[in-house]
Amino acid sequence: MPRRLKPRSNVIDLVLDFLARLLVQFQSPALAFLIGGMLLAAARSKLEIPDAIYKFCVFMLLMRIGLEGGLEIREAELVDMLLPAILAMVIGCGIVLLGRVVLAALPGVKVEDALATAGLFGAVSASTLAAAMVMLEEQEVFYEAWVPALYPFMDVPALIVAIVLANVYFAKKENGARTKVRIWPIVRDSLRGSALSALLLGLALGLFTHPQIVYEGFYDPLFRGLLSVLMLIMGMEAYTRLNELRKVAHWYAVYAAAAPLAHGLIAFGLGYVAHILTGFSPGGVVLLAVMAGSSSDISGPPTLRAGIPSANPSAYVGSSTSVGTPIAIAVGIPLYIALAQAVFGL
Amino acid sequence: MTHKATKIVIITEKLILEKVKRVIEAAGATGYTIVAAGGKGSRGVRASGRAAVVDAFTNVKVEVITANREAAVKIADEVAARFFGDYSGITYLENVEILRPDKF
């Protein structure tokens, strides 16, 4: 029966096509620099990138994302942004709740450590997001420029939920009255962090002023080059922090490897629904998946360390920086782009 | 002519620097010096200078000199009691000789 045969060959074509596209993604410079950084650290290279350069790279990346987003929001329909923004918040909170149920139940994992880890994986990594933007541009996949500006909608709620849940847990354990968590200081600390400050300033400048000249002449052209330096640093840091992960339960490594892809694929599914309902672009769906799959490296750790001081930073920073981020960048981004190309027929 | 005074040294995480400063000021010390620190301790190696992805986890060294020994002990005790359960850090006192005692 031809009706049965045809879909089957389609599926095979789809899988082959998907694998071929995946292979192309692996040759992207962003990934190459990340892996290069890991190799350098593994070889005990003496190459050091000064801290000031790292901070400057982060500033440049987020300022560029903010400016571009701000310029675009002027022309965008605010209604189009509503559903993806709500999805971002739901995903951020959902990841932490999922971690509370799954990771905290694993042997050798303390609840406060699990919550801090889940909070970090729910929060967003600016460098992972920037890498995804560059890879989408390389493949000429369109996305609305305001999508990266959804970052705080996922990031801040995830951190808040993690800290609130940890305090609820401590209150129950001690059978005492629940200590009230003050939400505002968490939001304030997140927004004051170097990454979100630069992003929000960029958004405001893009919205209310005319920064096109500096954007086109400075921030946009330098974006890719500085991202490669940042990827090198992330790779070196990932390898260096592997030692810390060895000190904690092995389940953290398992979670850190599986969670980014699970979160990304869930977000891809939700993004697909938004695509059908409101015409959210395929590139936007990919970026939403990337944000969900990424784990915060800049703003998340200090916020969590202050909010859940008894959680062990080796557990959550080790999981995120040494396993979560490399998986999110090297496997996650190519996977979602290839998936988008297959699903949306780009 | 020198005068006796006490120096408190606190090496801890940059993340809690603001809180440590408040403890120092509440005890009545009039000034302090902060430098970036790196080294090795019970919680592993902390680098200084190299790009640190998690900046707030790098270490700082805070030095406070006060003519009032009781204030010095109070600062050291309070910092250790409030922070060193959850955060890494060490603190110690030194006897020093100072010039210009009106500065302390």
Side-chain angles (χ1 to χ4, degrees):
Chain A
M1 284 200 290
R3 272 181 81 197
R4 218 185 232 173
L5 269 174
K6 209 182 166 199
R8 191 193 279 169
S9 66
N10 266 354
V11 167
I12 293 169
D13 277 355
L14 215 62
V15 170
L16 284 178
D17 185 47
F18 175 77
L19 290 176
R21 286 174 190 277
L22 204 58
L23 207 63
V24 174
Q25 309 289 345
F26 280 128
Q27 289 157 8
S28 164
L31 291 192
F33 275 88
L34 180 81
I35 294 162
M38 293 171 108
L39 289 176
L40 278 184
R44 292 173 181 264
S45 157
K46 291 210 170 75
L47 178 72
E48 275 187 9
I49 312 269
D51 200 36
I53 304 254
Y54 167 71
K55 290 196 175 116
F56 181 69
C57 290
V58 171
F59 164 76
M60 280 290 296
L61 254 54
L62 283 141
M63 182 51 88
R64 190 266 194 186
I65 294 174
L67 284 174
E68 195 189 18
L71 286 168
E72 173 118 343
I73 288 173
R74 279 189 194 184
E75 278 128 46
E77 293 281 338
L78 283 175
V79 188
D80 291 344
M81 295 172 58
L82 195 64
L83 183 62
I86 293 170
L87 281 180
M89 287 175 85
V90 170
I91 293 165
C93 300
I95 288 171
V96 181
L97 295 172
L98 196 68
R100 172 70 180 85
V101 178
V102 177
L103 180 62
L106 294 171
V109 176
K110 279 198 223 154
V111 174
E112 61 262 40
D113 293 352
L115 278 168
T117 310
L120 213 51
F121 278 75
V124 178
S125 156
S127 41
T128 309
L129 181 61
M133 289 166 66
V134 165
M135 284 167 75
L136 282 174
E137 281 159 22
E138 277 167 15
Q139 304 284 312
E140 293 174 349
V141 179
F142 169 80
Y143 61 88
E144 297 91 341
W146 48 260
V147 179
L150 296 178
Y151 162 3
F153 288 91
M154 191 183 295
D155 193 73
V156 178
L159 295 173
I160 292 175
V161 171
I163 294 171
V164 169
L165 284 181
N167 278 281
V168 170
Y169 168 74
F170 289 135
K172 265 190 197 156
K173 203 167 85 170
E174 282 152 27
N175 271 329
R178 224 180 102 183
T179 43
K180 214 165 167 247
V181 184
R182 301 207 347 261
I183 305 286
W184 175 239
I186 307 172
V187 177
R188 197 182 52 200
D189 272 4
S190 304
L191 297 183
R192 274 182 186 163
S194 53
L196 277 181
S197 299
L199 177 74
L200 293 175
L201 179 65
L203 272 174
L205 291 176
L207 258 177
F208 302 116
T209 67
H210 294 276
Q212 284 89 345
I213 292 179
V214 280
Y215 173 75
E216 281 158 23
F218 184 64
Y219 291 98
D220 193 44
L222 285 180
F223 184 65
R224 281 155 183 258
L226 289 177
L227 179 70
S228 67
V229 178
L230 193 63
M231 286 294 121
L232 193 73
I233 296 172
M234 301 300 293
M236 289 162 73
E237 184 85 0
Y239 189 85
T240 317
R241 289 212 172 253
L242 265 179
N243 274 332
E244 284 190 35
L245 198 59
R246 287 204 193 103
K247 289 187 228 155
V248 296
H250 298 311
W251 284 111
Y252 285 102
V254 177
Y255 176 82
L261 302 177
H263 299 157
L265 291 174
I266 292 170
F268 193 94
L270 291 172
Y272 184 72
V273 174
H275 169 75
I276 291 169
L277 290 179
T278 64
F280 192 37
S281 70
V285 175
V286 171
L287 286 184
L288 193 69
V290 169
M291 278 192 254
S294 75
S295 52
S296 176
D297 38 41
I298 301 161
S299 59
T303 307
L304 286 168
R305 186 94 169 93
I308 319 176
S310 56
N312 178 5
S314 289
Y316 56 91
V317 178
S319 312
S320 161
T321 312
S322 66
V323 181
T325 299
I327 296 266
I329 297 173
V331 185
I333 301 174
L335 181 71
Y336 315 136
I337 294 180
L339 201 61
Q341 286 170 332
V343 172
F344 298 106
L346 300 172
Chain B
M1 175 64 192
T2 60
H3 301 265
K4 298 233 179 286
T6 308
K7 178 166 93 172
I8 313 108
V9 180
I10 302 160
I11 301 167
T12 191
E13 296 177 37
K14 192 176 173 186
L15 184 71
I16 54 168
L17 185 58
E18 287 306 315
K19 290 176 185 162
V20 171
K21 281 187 205 166
R22 260 177 256 144
V23 171
I24 293 169
E25 278 163 22
T30 51
Y32 45 80
T33 305
I34 299 162
V35 289
K40 188 179 176 179
S42 61
R43 303 204 197 200
V45 176
R46 298 290 159 100
S48 69
R50 181 171 63 84
V53 170
V54 187
D55 176 56
F57 292 5
T58 54
N59 281 5
V60 287
K61 178 176 174 183
V62 187
E63 295 190 357
V64 194
I65 296 176
T66 172
N68 180 351
R69 192 174 164 84
E70 278 157 33
V73 174
K74 193 180 159 214
I75 292 171
D77 280 347
E78 196 170 338
V79 166
R82 274 183 60 188
F83 306 120
F84 291 170
D86 290 328
Y87 301 95
S88 53
I90 58 167
T91 180
Y92 53 89
L93 303 183
E94 281 178 82
N95 291 321
V96 291
E97 290 178 54
I98 53 167
L99 300 169
R100 299 194 294 163
D102 54 304
K103 296 280 283 179
F104 301 92

